[in-house]
Amino acid sequence: MTNKLKYKRVLLKISGEALLGSQQFGIDQKPVEMIANEIKTAHDMGAEIAVVVGGGNIFRGMKNSAKLGMDQASGDYVGMLATVMNAIALQSALRKLNVSCRVQSAIDMDKIAEPYIRFKAIRHLEKNRVVIFAAGTGNPFFTTDTAAALRASEIDAQVMLMAKNGVDGVYSDDPRVNKDAKKYDKITYDDIIVKGLKVMDTASCALCKQNKIPIIVFDFAAQGSIARLLNGETLGTFVGE
């Protein structure tokens, strides 16, 4: 089955908001378990899965730091710590499903996570372990989208899967606000930058373009979507050359 997969090594980017469930704040067990089951299915198919999870369900750096009178750098560090919380929660859910998993943090926290080491991460993937990258890039002023593009480049991922919560691709406008928004089945990296599409930040898009890593934006709420993408089905929006 592994030989039939369209993508063998993938970087899955999950927003922190995907872990909210019906809550306004924090981590809901239900979506965490759903995400873990989706990852397990892909893992059992033979794919090498790396994950970057955001922290917006707990703290959003730029937005929350302004409210608290905190400088942006400090706010971004708090946001990085939030991603570590989410990574540990997801690791726990995967371990309950008997999926071997490691958390690697860009900020040293040796009691709860490994430090990020590129070749060690690649070796974990080769040994059939899921790797969750936490704490973003370890630097302020960079989003978890950029961290995902960076890690995808470093581990030689064949594709970056951007999981959206309730949105099934890239649109010309927010489809939840504008019913006339047009969905794109396929666009280029430059389209995202030139048209100002807010699906990801321009730095992450430029990094994927530089390293020729295609991006697929899809709705994570659709059950079995990762497995379908690995099997070569057309879902969401394909971003490439």
Side-chain angles (χ1 to χ4, degrees):
M1 183 178 289
T2 301
N3 294 332
K4 296 179 181 179
L5 295 181
K6 184 170 184 179
Y7 304 108
K8 167 70 172 175
R9 180 174 296 172
V10 305
L11 189 292
L12 174 64
K13 168 60 171 63
I14 304 170
S15 68
E17 286 83 353
L19 308 185
L20 276 173
S22 58
Q23 304 176 159
Q24 292 185 329
F25 175 85
I27 303 171
D28 188 330
Q29 183 181 359
K30 211 169 193 179
V32 173
E33 290 178 347
M34 184 274 287
I35 290 168
N37 275 292
E38 293 287 305
I39 293 172
K40 174 179 167 55
T41 299
H43 177 264
D44 290 347
M45 291 170 65
E48 297 175 356
I49 310 287
V51 184
V52 169
V53 62
N57 56 317
I58 298 172
F59 192 93
R60 186 169 288 283
M62 189 178 294
K63 183 178 178 181
N64 293 117
S65 58
K67 287 182 180 179
L68 297 172
M70 189 185 296
D71 65 90
Q72 188 183 335
S74 297
D76 285 349
Y77 280 119
V78 175
M80 289 179 218
L81 298 179
T83 71
V84 178
M85 297 181 203
N86 287 338
I88 292 171
L90 182 57
Q91 180 190 42
S92 178
L94 285 166
R95 288 175 65 85
K96 284 181 181 178
L97 297 173
N98 296 315
V99 176
S100 184
C101 179
R102 299 289 188 275
V103 173
Q104 289 198 343
S105 172
I107 298 175
D108 287 350
M109 300 183 187
D110 60 357
K111 300 295 183 185
I112 57 174
E114 296 179 0
Y116 171 68
I117 301 173
R118 178 188 172 220
F119 289 115
K120 194 167 185 179
I122 292 172
R123 187 61 179 149
H124 284 320
L125 293 170
E126 291 171 344
K127 284 179 170 286
N128 209 29
R129 297 170 184 143
V130 173
V131 181
I132 305 173
F133 298 120
T137 65
N139 301 288
F141 308 109
F142 291 95
T143 68
T144 49
D145 283 353
T146 302
L150 176 63
R151 298 294 182 244
S153 302
E154 289 180 306
I155 65 170
D156 299 319
Q158 295 172 320
V159 68
M160 185 164 89
L161 304 179
M162 291 201 70
K164 295 295 180 180
N165 195 19
V167 179
D168 63 344
V170 180
Y171 284 77
S172 58
D173 197 3
D174 188 342
R176 291 170 289 196
V177 177
N178 181 3
K179 65 178 182 180
D180 295 322
K182 174 189 173 185
K183 181 189 173 186
Y184 300 106
D185 293 325
K186 185 175 182 180
I187 56 175
T188 68
Y189 305 105
D190 290 338
D191 286 333
I192 290 180
I193 298 170
V194 173
K195 294 179 181 180
L197 303 175
K198 297 180 179 178
V199 64
M200 67 188 76
D201 64 70
T202 55
S204 62
C205 188
L207 192 54
C208 285
K209 178 183 178 181
Q210 177 184 328
N211 292 290
K212 297 181 173 58
I213 299 172
I215 305 163
I216 300 176
V217 182
F218 68 103
D219 182 6
F220 203 77
Q223 191 172 1
S225 50
I226 297 178
R228 292 167 64 191
L229 287 168
L230 293 177
N231 280 326
E233 288 190 42
T234 302
L235 293 176
T237 299
F238 181 91
V239 184
E241 294 289 358

